[in-house]
Amino acid sequence: MDSAPIASTPGLDLAAIRAEFPILAQQIHGRPLVYLDSANTTQKPQAVIDAESAYYATINANIHRSTHLLSERATQAYEGARRRVQRLIHARESREVVFTRGCTEAINLVAQSWGRANLRPGDEVVLTWMEHHSNIVPWQLVCEQTGARVRAVRITDRGELDLDDFRDALAGPSVKFVSLIHVSNALGTVNPVEELVRLAHERGVPILVDGAQAVPHLAVDVQALDCDFYAFSAHKLYGPTGIGALYGKAALLEQMPPWQGGGDMIASVTFERTTYNEVPYKFEAGTPNIAGVVGFGAAVEWLQRFDMAALARHERSLVEALTARLDAMDGIRIIGRAPHKAGVVSFVVEGVHPHDVGTILDSEGVAVRTGQHCAQPVMDRYGVPATVRASFGIYNTTDEVEALVAALGRVRELFG
Ligand code: C6P
């Protein structure tokens, strides 16, 4: 497969893109690597690897706190990355971007800061059955602390949000916050976020959007969406692990109390009284992951070289090609049939546990994720213990879809 020319896709030179990812040239169990696990984490282009290593080789210093030149350069690199992330999601101001360890920490920040300050016994936080555990457990924790409770909106058999149930949930007198996923990591469903934000705002309720699986696939504009918070991770966006961002409307971030204390987040400290730094620094206690932020900025810059509409079309064509091929095979059930999907195809093979499927695919060089995908309620909803999930990134090809289908044939041979 690696010697055949790579089929081109309009607007994207796939052979050139793949050549930028050193890891993709690897053999796994003696076969060309077919990496179909980008929803878990994407591979990194050389530009991102180089940016982190150049940071350590030439700039490394702590930020915001020294007068020497290296520290000034490190601060510039860090704040430059913040502006890149701002542009990526079209935030109004760079101070609306808070760096976190990732999407999970961004959601925990809002739950612990906004939630603890605003939730009272009997209040409701509206989630959906589609959520990743990262957008369930932080809310359960803050509900335990405040006496509020979680309500989950139903999803349909096709894997779409039940809009009537969403409206019903919002109609209750106790709803104080909505937090929901933009693109489902377990089903691939793209939720109509603009509409959902509008409905929440009609009731005067703020809304957080978990964009971990959206930002890599779609052009996201937080001002157009009008969401109050938007959370995502760099590592699903061709950037490093351990770094991500929370977007928050400036007016909300300003009202919110800090959630972690330490260096850099303060204005003045005495034993009698401490005052806090301005937004976003109020939420970035301690020495941050500076190299990670630099890599995050490099990943954003790298991704912005491409036309996001062409990227979305390319990934959609891969989802459609795989769906058609799986539908033509006996004994395969696709979980998640929403008409608007991005990046993900989840399925089960009749009579074979997903982990066994994953192991056989791996022996053929095909890397997929199997399990609950940190979305146990989704598995419960469709009555499956786990699924096999193929997920796509910018570098995947239709040949790789065929490689997966061929490897599934091997599963069939082995399991009769
Ligand atoms: N989903 C997957 O294989 P972190 O771990 O903080 O970078 O991202 C958490 C997260 C939050 N929301 C959604 C929708 C996600 O998909 C994820 C991460 C990975 O599906 C790993 S569990």
Side-chain angles (χ1 to χ4, degrees):
M1 196 189 71
D2 52 348
S3 56
I6 294 170
S8 70
T9 192
L12 296 177
D13 180 347
L14 291 187
I17 290 170
R18 289 180 67 84
E20 292 194 54
F21 288 81
I23 206 168
L24 296 180
Q26 225 177 121
Q27 304 258 315
I28 295 288
H29 303 303
R31 295 177 186 260
L33 166 64
V34 174
Y35 188 75
L36 299 178
D37 197 17
S38 290
N40 211 341
T41 197
T42 53
Q43 297 304 346
K44 319 304 171 201
Q46 192 65 51
V48 170
I49 300 166
D50 288 348
E52 271 213 49
S53 129
Y55 166 77
Y56 278 126
T58 62
I59 306 183
N60 180 51
N62 213 330
I63 55 164
H64 297 152
R65 31 193 129 200
S66 306
T67 44
H68 61 79
L69 185 59
L70 281 185
S71 173
E72 206 178 291
R73 286 182 182 152
T75 302
Q76 276 167 10
Y78 186 86
E79 294 304 331
R82 197 191 304 276
R83 287 190 292 277
R84 281 188 185 145
V85 175
Q86 174 203 353
R87 283 196 292 275
L88 175 77
I89 56 170
H90 197 226
R92 199 171 279 109
E93 303 173 61
S94 65
R95 68 193 182 114
E96 294 180 313
V97 174
V98 179
F99 286 121
T100 62
R101 282 195 301 123
C103 184
T104 301
E105 191 176 72
I107 298 171
N108 276 277
L109 189 167
V110 177
Q112 285 302 311
S113 171
W114 190 94
R116 280 184 92 151
N118 291 284
L119 294 172
R120 302 280 171 268
D123 285 348
E124 273 184 357
V125 177
V126 173
L127 312 176
T128 81
W129 272 75
M130 226 182 267
E131 300 313 315
H132 186 279
H133 298 164
S134 292
N135 199 24
I136 299 174
V137 185
W139 297 109
Q140 289 174 325
L141 289 172
V142 74
C143 283
E144 275 167 25
Q145 290 155 351
T146 59
R149 57 175 185 261
V150 156
R151 167 161 180 178
V153 172
R154 285 195 292 266
I155 49 181
T156 66
D157 290 346
R158 290 207 304 188
E160 291 170 285
L161 212 58
D162 180 335
L163 286 180
D164 290 334
D165 198 40
F166 185 68
R167 284 194 193 88
D168 282 353
L170 283 175
S174 323
V175 182
K176 288 290 169 346
F177 199 83
V178 176
S179 195
L180 50 76
I181 200 163
H182 194 164
V183 174
S184 162
N185 67 314
L187 301 167
T189 310
V190 180
N191 282 320
V193 165
E194 218 168 318
E195 162 85 348
L196 302 172
V197 171
R198 192 180 58 73
L199 291 170
H201 285 173
E202 266 176 23
R203 302 276 309 153
V205 176
I207 176 165
L208 179 148
V209 179
D210 169 354
Q213 300 292 349
V215 175
H217 305 293
L218 315 169
V220 169
D221 180 334
V222 290
Q223 290 185 66
L225 293 177
D226 196 30
C227 55
D228 300 282
F229 300 100
Y230 198 92
F232 60 106
S233 295
H235 71 98
K236 299 189 197 287
L237 195 72
Y238 311 99
T241 52
I243 188 72
L246 171 71
Y247 158 80
K249 285 182 178 166
L252 276 166
L253 291 177
E254 270 166 7
Q255 285 162 21
M256 286 159 51
W259 77 304
Q260 289 178 340
D264 221 27
M265 54 74 72
I266 51 85
S268 151
V269 177
T270 66
F271 283 110
E272 288 70 39
R273 183 165 176 266
T274 290
T275 55
Y276 304 118
N277 204 342
E278 58 201 23
V279 166
Y281 312 113
K282 182 171 73 171
F283 297 110
E284 293 178 0
T287 301
N289 179 359
I290 307 167
V293 166
V294 169
F296 189 178
V300 169
E301 192 183 14
W302 182 83
L303 189 63
Q304 288 194 316
R305 277 176 30 205
F306 304 101
D307 171 9
M308 282 307 275
L311 171 63
R313 272 197 306 276
H314 167 59
E315 290 174 347
R316 192 179 169 88
S317 74
L318 296 173
V319 167
E320 283 169 2
L322 179 57
T323 302
R325 297 291 270 127
L326 295 180
D327 278 343
M329 294 171 83
D330 286 335
I332 298 226
R333 176 183 162 207
I334 293 180
I335 308 292
R337 292 273 189 184
H340 193 187
K341 284 173 70 166
V344 163
V345 180
S346 251
F347 59 94
V348 288
V349 181
E350 207 174 88
V352 191
H353 194 279
H355 292 324
D356 293 330
V357 177
T359 305
I360 297 165
L361 295 184
D362 178 58
S363 71
E364 300 289 311
V366 179
V368 294
R369 183 172 175 187
T370 61
Q372 298 179 336
H373 316 295
C374 301
Q376 198 181 327
V378 174
M379 303 298 123
D380 293 345
R381 167 65 179 81
Y382 296 100
V384 290
T387 74
V388 182
R389 184 188 67 183
S391 59
F392 299 111
I394 188 169
Y395 33 63
N396 289 122
T397 66
T398 45
D399 287 348
E400 291 182 308
V401 169
E402 292 309 317
L404 167 59
V405 171
L408 284 170
R410 182 86 186 118
V411 173
R412 273 297 150 70
E413 277 166 37
L414 290 172
F415 280 83

